[in-house]
């Protein structure tokens, strides 16, 4: 007889199906909850630049190109105009103070000097004549006074002798009054002669004083004109090197025209031009340095020019201590101009990544050195070599510092 077969509630196939479903759900849950879903990119290591974060001393500085100049350059102007008659020295020659460089000719100056000299001689002759005339007048006065004195004495004697005779009625009144009038007339004539001679003498002395003043003024003018003639001989104002002469024989030269320059080679200075961005951060006394033949030499800003031209302003720098022996005028130096004092800091070498991230994040390698992940960072000041790290990086960590343009903003980079 047939036996009823009881149907199983959990057949093996059903159990296997449920088990497979549970496993699949578990795997999906795991990948959702724990799997790494970040975007990745495979990168060849040799196409990146990796730098280590370090602890060190940070100093803000800027690179500056400086040019070596003589410590002093003296321009040589022509005080007087003229035509170049002789040229004694060429540019590039060493000179001593007072050495003759050029001779100019100026016929107008020579003629004016001769006329002034003639005028001076005429004035001197007039002065001598006036002095001689004054002396002769003095002699004539003494001669006339001697004659008048004799006449006055004689008239006085006659007048006084006739007083008693007049009183004795021996001489008439008319005759007596005649003696008295003659005596009074001679006294008055003597007084007038003295006054006239005094006036003539004062007038002569005034003329002599005026002549002497004119002669003194003319003498000064003559001396100035003589100095102008001497200025036609252009000499070296200082010892040094005659760096250039800008005229040739026969060249007309105007008064005040610069005809050359002399460099004082007793020392050197460095001229540099800086971007106007730094105009408020640069001042006299600021330090800098340059490397020459393997040695570092310090510099100091001695003068900051206030004028800004084409977005740049110049500065003068002086050497502190010794100057390199083989340095030459016109040589270019690579200068590190300090903008701050050294201070301890975490340092990250500069690189092209900054243009991609603005310093807000960077790819930092893990301990294996095979994976680099994005990390938020914060950078502070910078110089041509380093960034100052404020947050996000520790000394010893490695960072990709080359450009990120080819990484398409991936979360992680796998290095091969």
């Amino acid at each position: 007889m047939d036996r009823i077969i009881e149907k199983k509630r959990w057949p093996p196939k059903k159990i296997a199906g449920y088990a497979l479903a549970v496993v699949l759900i578990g795997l999906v849950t795991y990948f959702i909850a724990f799997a790494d879903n970040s975007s990745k990119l495979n990168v060849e290591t040799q196409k990146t630049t990796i730098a280590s974060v370090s602890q060190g001393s940070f100093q803000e500085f800027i690179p500056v190109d400086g040019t070596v100049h003589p410590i002093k350059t003296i321009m040589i102007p022509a005080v007087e105009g003229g035509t170049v008659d002789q040229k004694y020295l060429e540019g590039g020659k060493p000179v001593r103070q007072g050495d003759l460089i050029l001779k100019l000719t100026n016929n107008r100056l020579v003629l004016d000097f001769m006329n002034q000299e003639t005028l001076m001689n005429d004035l001197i002759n007039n002065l001598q004549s006036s002095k001689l005339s004054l002396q002769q007048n003095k002699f004539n006065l003494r001669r006339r006074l001697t004659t008048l004195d004799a006449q006055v004495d004689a008239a006085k004697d006659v007048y006084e002798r006739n007083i008693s005779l007049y009183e004795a009625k021996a001489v008439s009144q008319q005759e007596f009054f005649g003696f008295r009038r003659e005596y009074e007339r001679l006294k008055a004539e003597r007084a007038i002669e003295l006054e006239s001679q005094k006036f003539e003498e004062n007038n002569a002395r005034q003329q002599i004083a005026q002549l002497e003043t004119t002669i003194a003024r003319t003498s000064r003018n003559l001396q100035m004109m003589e100095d102008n003639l001497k200025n036609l001989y252009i000499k070296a104002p200082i010892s040094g090197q005659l760096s250039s002469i800008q005229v040739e024989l026969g060249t007309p030269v105007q008064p005040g025209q610069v005809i050359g320059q002399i460099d004082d080679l007793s020392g050197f200075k460095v001229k540099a031009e800086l971007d106007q961005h730094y105009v408020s951060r640069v001042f006299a006394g600021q330090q800098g340095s340059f490397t020459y033949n393997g040695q570092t030499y310090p510099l100091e800003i001695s003068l900051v020019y206030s004028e800004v031209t084409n977005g740049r302003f110049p500065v003068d720098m002086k050497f502190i201590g010794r100057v390199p022996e083989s340095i030459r005028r016109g040589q270019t130096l690579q200068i590190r101009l300090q903008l701050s004092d050294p201070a301890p800091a975490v340092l990250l070498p500069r690189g092209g990544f900054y243009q991609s991230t603005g310093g807000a994040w960077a790819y930092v390698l893990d301990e294996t050195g095979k994976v680099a992940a994005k990390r938020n960072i914060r950078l502070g000041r910078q110089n041509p070599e380093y960034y100052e790290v404020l947050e996000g990086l520790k000394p010893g960590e490695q960072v990709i510092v080359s450009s990120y343009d080819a990484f398409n903003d991936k979360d992680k980079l796998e290095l091969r």
Side-chain angles (χ1 to χ4, degrees), residues 9 153 235:
R9 295 182 60 186
D153 287 343
K235 300 179 180 180

Side-chain angles (χ1 to χ4, degrees), residues 278-297:
Y278 300 103
V279 70
S280 62
R281 302 189 63 187
V282 174
F283 51 87
Q286 202 161 354
Q287 302 289 313
S289 63
F290 69 97
T291 301
Y292 186 78
N293 288 340
Q295 297 187 27
T296 300
Y297 296 88

Side-chain angles (χ1 to χ4, degrees), residues 54-229:
S54 61
Q55 180 73 43
S57 177
F58 180 84
Q59 184 177 46
E60 195 174 4
F61 70 90
I62 54 174
V64 177
D65 287 338
T67 305
V68 178
H69 288 260
I71 191 68
K72 182 170 57 177
T73 297
I74 301 297
M75 300 299 176
I76 307 173
V79 178
E80 285 295 331
T83 303
V84 179
D85 183 55
Q86 292 187 25
K87 190 175 181 181
Y88 299 97
L89 293 173
E90 296 290 343
K93 299 291 184 180
V95 294
R96 292 178 176 270
Q97 184 176 4
D99 284 353
L100 189 59
I101 300 174
L102 287 177
K103 177 190 173 185
L104 305 178
T105 57
N106 189 321
N107 294 330
R108 180 185 59 79
L109 278 182
V110 174
L111 182 60
D112 289 346
F113 177 79
M114 293 175 62
N115 291 335
Q116 194 75 5
E117 195 173 35
T118 301
L119 176 61
M120 180 72 173
N121 291 333
D122 291 342
L123 290 172
I124 291 175
N125 290 334
N126 290 338
L127 177 63
Q128 291 175 345
S129 297
S130 296
K131 288 182 176 181
L132 180 61
S133 177
L134 177 62
Q135 193 66 31
Q136 289 175 344
N137 289 337
K138 286 182 179 181
F139 290 142
N140 292 333
L141 172 63
R142 289 172 59 186
R143 188 180 298 111
R144 286 198 296 272
L145 285 179
T146 299
T147 301
L148 281 173
D149 285 342
Q151 292 174 351
V152 168
D153 287 343
K156 179 181 179 182
D157 183 61
V158 171
Y159 167 66
E160 289 178 346
R161 279 188 291 107
N162 280 279
I163 291 176
S164 58
L165 294 175
Y166 173 72
E167 291 176 350
K169 305 295 184 179
V171 177
S172 66
Q173 183 180 24
Q174 181 179 1
E175 188 176 6
F176 174 72
F177 285 169
F179 293 144
R180 188 172 65 180
R181 282 194 298 271
E182 179 66 14
Y183 173 58
E184 296 294 339
R185 183 188 67 79
L186 288 174
K187 285 198 303 181
E189 184 177 349
R190 185 180 186 280
I192 293 173
E193 182 67 22
L194 283 175
E195 187 176 354
S196 175
Q197 290 296 328
K198 185 177 180 180
F199 172 79
E200 290 182 5
E201 182 176 352
N202 288 337
N203 186 49
R205 290 189 182 280
Q206 288 179 0
Q207 291 180 355
I208 290 173
Q210 290 176 354
L211 281 172
E212 289 176 339
T213 301
T214 304
I215 287 174
R217 184 172 61 252
T218 305
S219 178
R220 289 193 298 269
N221 293 339
L222 190 64
Q223 183 62 50
M224 290 176 61
M225 298 182 72
E226 187 175 358
D227 292 339
N228 290 339
L229 288 176

Side-chain angles (χ1 to χ4, degrees), residues 345-356:
V346 177
L347 305 177
L348 175 63
R350 288 177 63 100
F353 79 97
Y354 192 89
Q355 281 69 38
S356 301

Side-chain angles (χ1 to χ4, degrees), residues 75-81 253-259:
M75 300 299 176
I76 307 173
V79 178
E80 285 295 331
V253 176
Q254 300 300 321
Q257 178 180 335
V258 175
I259 57 94

